[in-house]
Amino acid sequence: MKKRKINFKILIPIILLSFISIVTIYSALTYTSSTLGNLALKQAIWYGIGWVLVYILVKLKNDYLYQHTWFLYIFGVILLALLLVFGTPINNSKCWFTIPGIGSIQPSEFMKIFIMLTLATMIHNFRNDFTNPTLKDEFKFILKTFIIVLIPSILTFLQPDTGSIFIYLIIYFSMMFASGIRIRWFIVGFTILLLLFGGILGLYFFLEDIFIKIFGTSIYYRLERIFNWRNGSGLQLENAMAAIGSAGIFGHGYNKTPIYFPESSTDFIFAVFASNFGFIGVLVLLGIIIYLDINIIKLTRKKIEDTDKFIVAGILGMLIFQQIQNIGMTVGLLPITGITLPFVSYGGSSLLSYMLMVGIIINISLKKDRTYKYR
């Protein structure tokens, strides 16, 4: 196999984002509880571990992951199920395992990768088995793949962690779109989702008692938090927007966030960066993010294995959704969902999952087209 050179057009923006992440998290320490420790140092350590994982994955190659897809998927599902019993409650959610001496591990972050790998191999096999699939063939395939996403979605919903469920669905639709199935299935799927979502919102707005009986108070208050964005209300959003709006062209200066808002090192890290470095800094950050996305997109135009193309579709769908959602909610354009900014927000599990994706992408850029079957 003739290898290509490592794509530094992908590595360089990741390195720049890692620097921005650590610097901005350090600035956010002003309003972060001291009980959490030095999050900037912890983020640097997580990045160090992440680069080690990238190196290991490049040595193993993506074929190793594809050949162990089902083991990884089942392992991820078991972890999500165990969370409901042994998970550590944080903010009324059981999303984390607490490991003494290490910290908290969030399985749903890794489940995103396991779902991508499983769907990619299923799509690959379907396309090899059916050169001209009928509507019946596609329906069976869609049903099987949807079940693969539905199982972890239910377990994640019970934690509850609605943000991860959104990401699961984005990954699913992105990869299914890349699979080449008929467009009519997407029309049907989005119609069903809209009807279900409309029914849930109808209960939420007009039959609150029934909604709480079905979904519980935790989900009710999460939806209430999401819809606060319509009026720009809530301490978190109001203060974040004030910090950004007052930053001007060059910002207030490094480590000079002018006002407190919760989750400054995670969900609202963009507000910290914007308040410190202003409009110019925001343009630089957005430029780096867009440059990274464009170079990942360019991978799909090269002669690579189709399984890799499906993986890239899932990664792109997830990254672009999270980038738009996180920045949009920070400036009041989208609902607050607790979705972080990839490679910038603090988080050990999320960062390691992104670095694993970096390893997958590097592997894709290093090899030419090959045809294998994964079962």
Side-chain angles (χ1 to χ4, degrees):
M1 183 184 67
K2 185 179 179 181
K3 291 187 177 181
R4 300 172 183 170
K5 294 181 179 180
I6 292 178
N7 192 337
F8 286 99
K9 291 182 179 179
I10 291 175
L11 282 185
I12 289 174
I14 298 296
I15 293 171
L16 292 175
L17 288 175
S18 69
F19 175 76
I20 289 173
S21 173
I22 295 168
V23 167
T24 309
I25 291 171
Y26 183 83
S27 177
L29 291 179
T30 303
Y31 298 118
T32 303
S33 173
S34 58
T35 59
L36 298 175
N38 190 330
L39 297 185
L41 177 60
K42 290 182 179 180
Q43 186 78 340
I45 294 172
W46 285 122
Y47 257 112
I49 297 172
W51 285 115
V52 172
L53 289 178
V54 169
Y55 177 80
I56 293 172
L57 188 52
V58 169
K59 288 294 182 181
L60 291 175
K61 299 181 175 57
N62 288 350
D63 296 334
Y64 180 85
L65 295 178
Y66 297 152
Q67 291 162 5
H68 296 84
T69 289
W70 288 104
F71 170 79
L72 294 171
Y73 175 81
I74 294 171
F75 177 69
V77 169
I78 291 173
L79 287 180
L80 290 177
L82 290 175
L83 267 180
L84 301 177
V85 180
F86 302 107
T88 303
I90 300 177
N91 295 329
N92 298 319
S93 297
K94 285 188 173 183
C95 301
W96 299 268
F97 288 117
T98 299
I99 302 177
I102 296 177
S104 299
I105 301 296
Q106 188 173 1
S108 61
E109 293 292 342
F110 299 101
M111 195 69 223
K112 300 169 189 175
I113 301 177
F114 301 157
I115 288 174
M116 287 184 202
L117 292 169
T118 306
L119 291 177
T121 54
M122 291 179 73
I123 296 169
H124 173 88
N125 291 333
F126 177 75
R127 285 168 62 96
N128 278 298
D129 293 342
F130 300 94
T131 53
N132 293 300
T134 63
L135 284 173
K136 184 179 180 180
D137 294 330
E138 288 189 344
F139 177 74
K140 289 181 179 179
F141 171 65
I142 291 170
L143 188 60
K144 290 177 183 177
T145 53
F146 185 70
I147 291 173
I148 291 299
V149 179
L150 181 63
I151 293 172
S153 295
I154 292 173
L155 293 172
T156 305
F157 176 81
L158 294 175
Q159 294 174 9
D161 179 7
T162 51
S164 291
I165 296 173
F166 284 133
I167 296 173
Y168 294 163
L169 292 175
I170 290 295
I171 290 170
Y172 179 68
F173 282 114
S174 299
M175 297 184 70
M176 292 302 288
F177 185 80
S179 73
I181 62 173
R182 293 173 174 87
I183 297 296
R184 68 187 69 179
W185 293 116
F186 294 96
I187 298 173
V188 172
F190 282 119
T191 301
I192 293 173
L193 283 177
L194 286 174
L195 290 174
L196 288 174
F197 190 62
I200 292 172
L201 289 183
L203 290 176
Y204 170 77
F205 285 114
F206 303 109
L207 298 169
E208 293 182 3
D209 293 338
I210 296 177
F211 181 94
I212 292 174
K213 286 181 180 179
I214 296 174
F215 299 104
T217 55
S218 178
I219 299 299
Y220 177 82
Y221 287 120
R222 283 175 181 270
L223 279 179
E224 192 173 57
R225 180 190 177 203
I226 288 174
F227 287 109
N228 276 340
W229 75 282
R230 294 178 303 162
N231 303 317
S233 60
L235 170 70
Q236 192 174 34
L237 180 58
E238 290 176 352
N239 287 11
M241 291 179 66
I244 295 171
S246 62
I249 299 295
F250 300 104
H252 295 284
Y254 179 60
N255 205 16
K256 294 181 180 178
T257 306
I259 190 171
Y260 165 78
F261 45 86
E263 308 296 339
S264 57
S265 61
T266 53
D267 300 355
F268 278 73
I269 193 73
F270 179 79
V272 177
F273 181 84
S275 67
N276 285 188
F277 302 104
F279 182 70
I280 298 299
V282 168
L283 288 181
V284 171
L285 176 58
L286 293 180
I288 295 171
I289 290 173
I290 294 171
Y291 182 77
L292 172 64
D293 293 345
I294 289 174
N295 281 287
I296 295 176
I297 292 172
K298 286 181 178 179
L299 284 179
T300 62
R301 300 171 58 187
K302 296 181 178 180
K303 190 179 181 183
I304 59 174
E305 184 183 345
D306 60 352
T307 314
D308 292 331
K309 288 185 178 180
F310 305 141
I311 285 285
V312 172
I315 292 174
L316 273 172
M318 186 201 73
L319 287 179
I320 293 174
F321 169 73
Q322 288 195 234
Q323 291 158 359
I324 294 174
Q325 173 60 39
N326 178 271
I327 295 173
M329 76 179 189
T330 304
V331 298
L333 295 178
L334 293 172
I336 298 174
T337 56
I339 290 174
T340 56
L341 185 59
F343 300 106
V344 181
S345 295
Y346 174 78
S349 299
S350 60
L351 182 56
L352 291 183
S353 70
Y354 299 139
M355 296 306 286
L356 286 173
M357 293 178 203
V358 171
I360 291 172
I361 291 171
I362 291 174
N363 278 333
I364 292 172
S365 69
L366 288 176
K367 67 178 183 179
K368 282 193 172 183
D369 184 48
R370 294 179 292 171
T371 55
Y372 289 119
K373 271 200 171 186
Y374 308 102
R375 295 293 179 183

